[in-house]
Structure formats: C-alpha cells, structure tokens
C-alpha cells in the first residue's frame, strides 16, 4: 500500500474543512440563532393579521347575504346599514335598482302594498311615484293588482335604466307608459285625480323629492294614504280595500286623515 | 488544544470549555464562536459520508438550529463534542429517512459550485473518494467520527444505545474494509 488510507482520509477531511469560508460559517450560525430565538414575536402579528382577515371576510359575507334581503326580512336593516355606510364613505350611488329588486321580491311574496310603499318612498322618478300612489288608491285586488304592480315595476326599471343611460327619448316613452298604466286603472285615478295639478306631469317645481310629487301643498303625506285628493272609492267603500289580495298589508284607501278627504268625490 | 484563534483567524476545534459553558449559560456571542468553529466540520462530515449535495445545506442548518435550541440543556461541558456529533448524526438520519435516497455516495459530488465541492472533486482526493464509495454509509460514518474527529468509542456509541464493545468491533471492521478497498483500487491503477 503506497499511501495510508487513514492519512488520505484525514487530509481529505482537512481540505474539506478549510474549504468552507469562515464568513459563511458565521452567517449560518447567526441565522440559526435568529431562527431559534425569535419565533414568538413572529407569531403574534400573524395571528392578528389572520384575525383581521377573518373579520373582514365575515363582514363581506354578511354584506353579501344581507344584500338579497327585502323589507320585512330580518337582515333588511343590516342591508340598509351597509348602504348607509357606503353612502357616508362616498361609495354609494343610485339605489333605484336595488329598491326595484326589493319591490319585485315583495311582489313575488304578494306583498303589493309594501312594494308600492317602497316605490313611493325611495324611487326618484315622480311619474312612477304618482302611479304607485294611484294604484294604492285604486280598488284592485288579486291578479289585477298583481299585474298592474308588475307592469309598473317593469316600466320603472326601464326608467331607471334610461336615466342611468341618459337616454331622454327612452325616458319619455317609459314615463308615457306609466301614465297609461294610471289611465287604465279603474275608477277615478285618471291623470288629474292623482293629486297632480292639471297640466303638470307630476314634477311640481320644488316638489320633486321622492314621495312628495303630486301632493297638495300642505299635505303631510302620511304613510298609508296618498294624501292627494279624492280617493277612488265612494263613501261606504272606505276600508273595503283591505281585501286587495296582499297579505299583511294595510288598506290602501281612505281614512279621515287623507288630504282630500273622502267626501270630495264629485 | 488552545482555544484561541489560530494565526489564520479561524476558530479552533474543539472549543475551550469556558466558551462552551458561557454558551450554555446564554452567552450568544460565545455560542456563535463555538458553533462557528463546528460548522465547517459539519459540512465536511456530511459531504464525507456521501450525503446528496443538495441535502447537505438543509441538514447543516437543521443541525445548527437543534444545537442552538438544546445548548442550554448540555449537562456536561466536557462531553460537548459527543453532544455535538450526536445531534449532527440524528439530523442526518432524520433527513435521510425523509429523503429516502439509495446509498449512492457519488450523488454527493455533483457539479462544483462551492469551495468544498471543488475540493471534493480535486484529483488529489480521487482515490480516497473512490474507496469510501465502496463502503456502506454506516462504515463511512464510523470512520469519519473515529479517524477524523477522534471521538472515543463511548462517545460514538452512547447516543446510539450501542455498547463500547460493539462500537469498537464495528470501527475495526470499517477500517479493514477501507484498507481492502484502498488496496484494490491501487492494484487496479
């Protein structure tokens, strides 16, 4: 044996040991010390971040679930709260579309009076609001009421889209359709008897706030009454509209508090 | 052996017992010095026993972290070397179980990108590398710890639960096999 294998082995080992740069050894040892001595401080921010992320996701999920609710639902106040926050933050916008969807949901549930009330309270277009008031005043029940409310909803959607698209022509046509809906209503709900001053389209100057158009100046616009002129029913029929087919809805007509009174029918 | 740095500035091995005690008692600077001196020996050991090269860096880091984590539990500073190599070997076995690589020492020597790799592949050590490649991983491990690191049989065997006698016999057989392999390779040249 020319060379001793164990001497060869030791020379091999020494060369390997010397080949490792000292700087690298110091760096790797320092990293090991850092890794072992600082793990806890890293966990807390991760936990906090995870908690905040989880709350954020839950919030988003809650908003998403509440978004599909309608008046009368448990989550509806939550949905309106989120909308209020969005509006405060400047992230809100035209909510007509949402109100129309909610009104559609109410209609699907046969809650026609609630759907009309929602439209009166929240839609910006005075023609639609006036038509909704007129329908509430009209003596309609069952499928008649349902079809006229759905017609109004359909046209109201067109108006909303036309307004958003700034399409004046489409808007005018849609508003004309609304007036035809009102014209076709049974009884004295023809234009002029909805509380609008004759000749006006319902947009009384200075009186274009939702729910206010068509009201006689000085009327208080109470929630369950049109407050706008003579009702469609003759005396004796007041209160008879409670059978309008909507479940849980209040009578659409006539109370001594209505602005024109019940006795002004010609 | 002196615990002061050598003329080249490298820390010497084994470290001074005072440094080991200081490191055990929480002196991070002392711990850095002690483990910094041991790091190149760890690297050389893992390469020498033929671990896959891409695994060596990971096992070295793992072993160092284990030593930092457990340093405070070193009961006998005199037994530091045995403790050091026991952790090194345990980490190696854990990594190999995960890696499940066949015993192919030549896999350790891939393309030379680091100084130690270039040393491994230099012609000067071709013969001993080839002889080691003919041995089992266990024989390479025993030879390195006994012949290179100078551990006694008790230190080699105590952490493995093997008796001093069993370790002595195993080391003797490993030496014999290395000699035979070395002679066989010399004869074939």
């Amino acid at each position: 044996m020319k060379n001793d294998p164990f001497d060869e082995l030791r020379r091999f080992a020494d060369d390997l040991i010397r080949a490792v740069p000292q700087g690298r050894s110091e760096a790797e040892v320092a990293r090991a010390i850092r890794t072992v001595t600082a793990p806890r401080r890293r966990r807390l921010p991760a936990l906090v971040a995870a908690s905040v992320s989880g709350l954020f996701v839950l919030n988003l999920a809650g908003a998403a679930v509440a978004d599909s609710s309608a008046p009368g639902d448990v989550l509806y106040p939550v949905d309106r709260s989120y909308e209020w926050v969005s509006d405060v933050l400047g992230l809100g916008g035209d909510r007509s579309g949402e109100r129309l969807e909610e009104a559609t949901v109410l209609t699907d549930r046969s809650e026609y009076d609630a759907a009309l009330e929602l439209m009166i309270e929240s839609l910006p277009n005075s023609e639609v609001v006036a038509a909704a008031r007129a329908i509430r005043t009209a003596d309609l029940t069952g499928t008649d009421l349902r079809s006229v409310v759905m017609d109004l909803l359909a046209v109201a959607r067109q108006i909303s889209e036309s307004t958003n698209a700034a399409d004046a022509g489409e808007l005018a046509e849609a508003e004309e359709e609304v007036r035809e809906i009102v014209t076709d209503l049974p009884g004295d709900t023809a234009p002029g008897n909805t509380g609008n001053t004759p000749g006006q389209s319902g947009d009384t100057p200075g009186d274009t706030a939702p729910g206010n158009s068509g009201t006689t100046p000085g009327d208080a616009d109470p929630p369950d009454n049109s407050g706008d002129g003579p009702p469609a029913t003759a005396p004796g029929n007041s209160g008879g509209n409670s059978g309008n087919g909507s479940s849980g809805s209040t009578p659409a007509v006539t109370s001594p508090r209505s602005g024109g009174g019940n006795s002004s029918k010609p | 052996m002196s615990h002061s740095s050598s003329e080249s500035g490298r820390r010497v091995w084994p470290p001074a017992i005072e440094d080991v005690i200081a490191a055990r008692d929480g002196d991070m600077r002392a711990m850095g010095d002690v483990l910094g001196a041991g790091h190149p020996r760890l690297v050389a050991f893992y390469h020498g026993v033929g671990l896959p090269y891409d695994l060596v860096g990971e096992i070295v880091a793992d072993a160092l972290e284990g030593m930092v984590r457990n340093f405070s539990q070193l009961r006998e500073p005199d037994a530091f070397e045995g403790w050091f190599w026991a952790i090194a070997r345990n980490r190696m076995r854990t990594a190999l179980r995960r890696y499940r690589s066949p015993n192919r020492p030549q896999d350790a020597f891939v393309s030379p990108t680091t100084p130690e790799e270039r040393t491994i592949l230099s012609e000067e050590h071709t013969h001993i590398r080839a002889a080691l490649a003919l041995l089992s991983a266990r024989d390479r491990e025993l030879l390195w710890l006994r012949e290179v690191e100078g551990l006694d049989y008790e230190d080699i065997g105590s952490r493995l639960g093997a008796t001093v006698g069993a370790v002595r016999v195993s080391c003797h057989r490993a030496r014999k096999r290395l000699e035979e392999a070395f002679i066989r390779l010399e004869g074939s040249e």
Side-chain angles (χ1 to χ4, degrees):
Chain A
M1 197 160 51
K2 284 186 272 189
N3 296 315
D4 181 79
F6 306 105
D7 288 342
E8 289 274 342
L9 178 62
R10 290 185 201 103
R11 268 198 296 277
F12 177 46
D14 284 344
D15 284 351
L16 272 176
I17 291 166
R18 271 196 292 272
V20 179
Q22 185 169 346
R24 199 175 106 207
S25 299
E26 290 170 357
E28 293 202 22
V29 169
R31 183 166 53 229
I33 292 174
R34 269 198 312 273
T35 301
V36 171
T37 58
R40 264 190 213 174
R41 282 195 288 274
R42 283 190 223 125
R43 266 188 229 133
L44 185 58
L47 274 174
V48 170
S51 303
V52 169
S53 301
L55 281 173
F56 182 68
V57 168
L58 279 174
N59 216 3
L60 279 181
V65 169
D67 192 47
S68 59
S69 59
D73 291 345
V74 170
L75 290 179
Y76 188 66
V78 177
D79 182 31
R80 296 306 291 265
S81 299
Y82 277 116
E83 287 178 6
W84 177 82
V85 172
S86 293
D87 292 340
V88 165
L89 295 175
L91 301 174
D94 179 27
R95 304 248 180 232
S96 305
E98 265 196 75
R99 299 289 88 82
L100 286 170
E101 282 178 22
E102 290 163 7
T104 306
V105 170
L106 291 170
T107 305
D108 291 341
R109 297 178 189 169
S110 303
E111 294 179 34
Y112 306 113
D113 203 61
L116 290 168
E117 185 176 334
L118 181 61
M119 294 164 73
I120 292 166
E121 283 176 354
S122 55
L123 294 182
N125 185 276
S126 57
E127 292 284 357
V128 172
V129 171
R133 288 184 197 280
I135 294 170
R136 287 187 72 183
T137 310
D139 184 15
L140 291 173
T141 57
T143 53
D144 289 340
L145 177 61
R146 177 181 169 82
S147 65
V148 80
V149 170
M150 290 182 69
D151 286 346
L152 180 61
L153 274 172
V155 179
R157 277 191 216 102
Q158 287 178 21
I159 288 175
S160 177
E161 287 165 12
S162 303
T163 306
N164 290 339
D167 190 332
E170 289 261 359
L171 179 61
E173 283 184 25
E175 287 182 336
E176 182 57 35
E177 280 189 53
V178 171
R179 285 190 285 274
E180 286 176 10
I181 289 174
V182 175
T183 305
D184 291 342
L185 287 173
D188 294 325
T189 54
N193 285 338
T194 60
N196 294 338
T197 306
Q200 285 187 350
S201 65
D203 269 349
T204 311
D207 198 16
T208 55
N212 284 342
S213 58
T215 57
T216 307
D219 280 353
D221 192 24
D224 287 334
N225 293 279
S226 62
D228 51 355
T233 58
N237 284 345
S238 64
N241 283 346
S242 58
N244 61 3
S246 61
S247 58
S249 60
T250 55
V253 193
T254 73
S255 101
R257 291 186 288 124
S258 67
N262 289 347
S263 58
S264 57
K265 180 183 176 197
Chain B
M1 187 178 297
S2 167
H3 64 273
S4 60
S5 299
S6 65
E7 286 179 4
S8 66
R10 294 193 75 100
R11 298 185 181 95
V12 296
W13 184 265
I17 193 163
E18 295 86 11
D19 290 339
V20 172
I21 292 171
R24 182 195 62 180
D25 295 341
D27 184 340
M28 288 300 158
R29 189 161 174 265
M31 188 183 294
D33 288 347
V34 167
L35 296 182
H39 171 265
R41 308 191 86 88
L42 271 181
V43 174
F45 169 65
Y46 291 136
H47 279 301
V49 299
L51 289 188
Y53 190 73
D54 56 349
L55 208 56
V56 169
E58 181 186 324
I59 303 177
V60 167
D62 198 24
L64 286 175
E65 286 177 26
M67 291 169 193
V68 171
R69 198 169 282 120
N70 294 300
F71 218 125
S72 60
Q73 294 161 30
L74 174 63
R75 279 176 295 194
E76 297 169 29
D78 287 341
F80 168 77
E81 274 189 272
W83 173 88
F84 179 93
W85 288 111
I87 292 178
R89 292 161 77 189
N90 286 340
R91 289 299 191 273
M92 178 181 70
R93 289 198 180 82
T94 304
L96 284 175
R97 271 199 299 273
R98 280 199 311 259
Y99 189 75
R100 290 181 188 169
S101 161
N103 180 21
R104 293 203 312 243
Q106 56 269 29
D107 287 343
F109 314 125
V110 196
S111 56
T113 56
T114 63
E116 58 266 29
E117 281 180 86
R118 286 191 281 277
T119 300
I120 290 166
L121 295 176
S122 69
E123 284 190 15
E124 186 183 348
H125 304 299
T126 304
H127 207 123
I128 186 61
R129 278 183 48 222
L132 287 171
L134 296 175
L135 270 55
S136 67
R138 179 173 163 78
D139 279 349
R140 291 197 293 269
E141 184 182 335
L142 289 172
L143 285 168
W144 199 278
L145 293 176
R146 177 67 181 163
E147 303 298 330
V148 173
E149 295 298 335
L151 294 186
D152 56 34
Y153 297 126
E154 189 177 351
D155 277 339
I156 293 172
S158 63
R159 310 283 174 167
L160 303 175
T163 63
V164 169
V167 173
R168 182 185 291 119
V169 169
S170 297
C171 286
H172 176 74
R173 287 174 181 165
R175 282 177 62 100
K176 218 161 161 1
R177 284 191 273 263
L178 180 63
E179 285 173 345
E180 288 167 0
F182 208 75
I183 292 169
R184 194 157 60 242
L185 286 168
E186 273 185 336
S188 64
E189 285 175 359

